[in-house]
Amino acid sequence: MISRTRAVLTAGALAVALGLGITAQASAGAPRSVSGKPSDDISRIADFYGAYVDSKADEDGRGLEKALRGHYLTPALQKRLTAWESREHADGVLRAQNVPLAWKVTDNGTVGTSREAVITLTWGSGTTELVVGMNRTSHKIVRIGDKGAAGR
């Protein structure tokens, strides 16, 4: 009798747990979607920052980090970032020593031959905003800084 009672209680607990799981999953909302296209500069900047933050968060992402810089950044910017990193002892793309918890890319308009985006990096203690400029012809990132091209 005791084992049957245990079996019924276990089955009941399992049913409740599964029911709660289904409720939690159903209340999570509709599936999210993210889109972009390689000809869109803002998509490319978002692709770069998403992959770069992932590579920094992964323990074995060092090779990917270097490859991403080579693919998305101009050689001149890579050189400037190396100098900045030596001086500041931090990652020049993120302007920090650690990895953000989240990132967001917002279109900031066109300045001359560049398309600008504001990158909002979310940390445990708040947010940081960077302004990134991408050459509209080469689709390469030419500038990462605290201010846009007009306020260099």
Side-chain angles (χ1 to χ4, degrees), residues 41 113 134-140:
D41 296 328
T113 60
M134 175 175 274
N135 182 287
R136 295 181 331 189
T137 304
S138 69
H139 301 294
K140 297 279 188 182

PDB file of all heavy atoms in Angstrom, residues 41 113 134-140:
ATOM      1  N   ASP A  41      24.764  47.972 -44.004  1.00  0.00           N
ATOM      2  CA  ASP A  41      25.868  48.260 -43.083  1.00  0.00           C
ATOM      3  C   ASP A  41      25.498  48.020 -41.625  1.00  0.00           C
ATOM      4  O   ASP A  41      26.313  47.525 -40.847  1.00  0.00           O
ATOM      5  CB  ASP A  41      26.354  49.695 -43.266  1.00  0.00           C
ATOM      6  CG  ASP A  41      26.955  49.929 -44.644  1.00  0.00           C
ATOM      7  OD1 ASP A  41      27.546  48.988 -45.197  1.00  0.00           O
ATOM      8  OD2 ASP A  41      26.829  51.051 -45.167  1.00  0.00           O
ATOM      9  N   THR A 113      31.265  59.408 -46.133  1.00  0.00           N
ATOM     10  CA  THR A 113      31.278  58.100 -46.793  1.00  0.00           C
ATOM     11  C   THR A 113      31.042  56.963 -45.802  1.00  0.00           C
ATOM     12  O   THR A 113      31.154  55.798 -46.163  1.00  0.00           O
ATOM     13  CB  THR A 113      32.627  57.864 -47.494  1.00  0.00           C
ATOM     14  OG1 THR A 113      33.675  57.913 -46.521  1.00  0.00           O
ATOM     15  CG2 THR A 113      32.862  58.903 -48.580  1.00  0.00           C
ATOM     16  N   MET A 134      31.310  52.685 -40.411  1.00  0.00           N
ATOM     17  CA  MET A 134      31.626  51.698 -41.443  1.00  0.00           C
ATOM     18  C   MET A 134      31.636  52.384 -42.797  1.00  0.00           C
ATOM     19  O   MET A 134      30.712  53.141 -43.122  1.00  0.00           O
ATOM     20  CB  MET A 134      30.598  50.567 -41.436  1.00  0.00           C
ATOM     21  CG  MET A 134      30.803  49.556 -42.560  1.00  0.00           C
ATOM     22  SD  MET A 134      29.685  48.151 -42.456  1.00  0.00           S
ATOM     23  CE  MET A 134      30.619  47.100 -41.369  1.00  0.00           C
ATOM     24  N   ASN A 135      32.677  52.136 -43.580  1.00  0.00           N
ATOM     25  CA  ASN A 135      32.756  52.671 -44.933  1.00  0.00           C
ATOM     26  C   ASN A 135      31.645  52.035 -45.759  1.00  0.00           C
ATOM     27  O   ASN A 135      31.527  50.814 -45.814  1.00  0.00           O
ATOM     28  CB  ASN A 135      34.128  52.373 -45.540  1.00  0.00           C
ATOM     29  CG  ASN A 135      34.264  52.941 -46.924  1.00  0.00           C
ATOM     30  OD1 ASN A 135      33.672  52.435 -47.870  1.00  0.00           O
ATOM     31  ND2 ASN A 135      35.049  54.001 -47.047  1.00  0.00           N
ATOM     32  N   ARG A 136      30.839  52.860 -46.399  1.00  0.00           N
ATOM     33  CA  ARG A 136      29.690  52.350 -47.152  1.00  0.00           C
ATOM     34  C   ARG A 136      30.069  51.630 -48.433  1.00  0.00           C
ATOM     35  O   ARG A 136      29.272  50.864 -48.965  1.00  0.00           O
ATOM     36  CB  ARG A 136      28.725  53.492 -47.466  1.00  0.00           C
ATOM     37  CG  ARG A 136      28.119  54.079 -46.201  1.00  0.00           C
ATOM     38  CD  ARG A 136      27.150  55.175 -46.464  1.00  0.00           C
ATOM     39  NE  ARG A 136      27.448  55.910 -47.690  1.00  0.00           N
ATOM     40  CZ  ARG A 136      26.862  57.013 -48.054  1.00  0.00           C
ATOM     41  NH1 ARG A 136      25.958  57.557 -47.317  1.00  0.00           N
ATOM     42  NH2 ARG A 136      27.198  57.617 -49.168  1.00  0.00           N
ATOM     43  N   THR A 137      31.274  51.841 -48.934  1.00  0.00           N
ATOM     44  CA  THR A 137      31.710  51.171 -50.157  1.00  0.00           C
ATOM     45  C   THR A 137      32.368  49.832 -49.852  1.00  0.00           C
ATOM     46  O   THR A 137      32.009  48.808 -50.423  1.00  0.00           O
ATOM     47  CB  THR A 137      32.690  52.062 -50.942  1.00  0.00           C
ATOM     48  OG1 THR A 137      32.062  53.317 -51.196  1.00  0.00           O
ATOM     49  CG2 THR A 137      33.093  51.418 -52.258  1.00  0.00           C
ATOM     50  N   SER A 138      33.322  49.836 -48.940  1.00  0.00           N
ATOM     51  CA  SER A 138      34.070  48.606 -48.632  1.00  0.00           C
ATOM     52  C   SER A 138      33.365  47.734 -47.605  1.00  0.00           C
ATOM     53  O   SER A 138      33.694  46.553 -47.462  1.00  0.00           O
ATOM     54  CB  SER A 138      35.461  48.957 -48.086  1.00  0.00           C
ATOM     55  OG  SER A 138      35.366  49.551 -46.792  1.00  0.00           O
ATOM     56  N   HIS A 139      32.388  48.276 -46.891  1.00  0.00           N
ATOM     57  CA  HIS A 139      31.691  47.576 -45.801  1.00  0.00           C
ATOM     58  C   HIS A 139      32.654  47.142 -44.702  1.00  0.00           C
ATOM     59  O   HIS A 139      32.460  46.117 -44.062  1.00  0.00           O
ATOM     60  CB  HIS A 139      30.883  46.384 -46.311  1.00  0.00           C
ATOM     61  CG  HIS A 139      29.843  46.749 -47.304  1.00  0.00           C
ATOM     62  ND1 HIS A 139      28.742  47.519 -47.003  1.00  0.00           N
ATOM     63  CD2 HIS A 139      29.755  46.470 -48.631  1.00  0.00           C
ATOM     64  CE1 HIS A 139      28.017  47.686 -48.083  1.00  0.00           C
ATOM     65  NE2 HIS A 139      28.601  47.076 -49.088  1.00  0.00           N
ATOM     66  N   LYS A 140      33.697  47.935 -44.486  1.00  0.00           N
ATOM     67  CA  LYS A 140      34.671  47.673 -43.414  1.00  0.00           C
ATOM     68  C   LYS A 140      34.494  48.730 -42.332  1.00  0.00           C
ATOM     69  O   LYS A 140      34.242  49.899 -42.624  1.00  0.00           O
ATOM     70  CB  LYS A 140      36.113  47.740 -43.937  1.00  0.00           C
ATOM     71  CG  LYS A 140      36.454  46.709 -44.989  1.00  0.00           C
ATOM     72  CD  LYS A 140      36.766  45.392 -44.345  1.00  0.00           C
ATOM     73  CE  LYS A 140      37.287  44.411 -45.383  1.00  0.00           C
ATOM     74  NZ  LYS A 140      37.552  43.118 -44.824  1.00  0.00           N
TER      75      LYS A 140
END
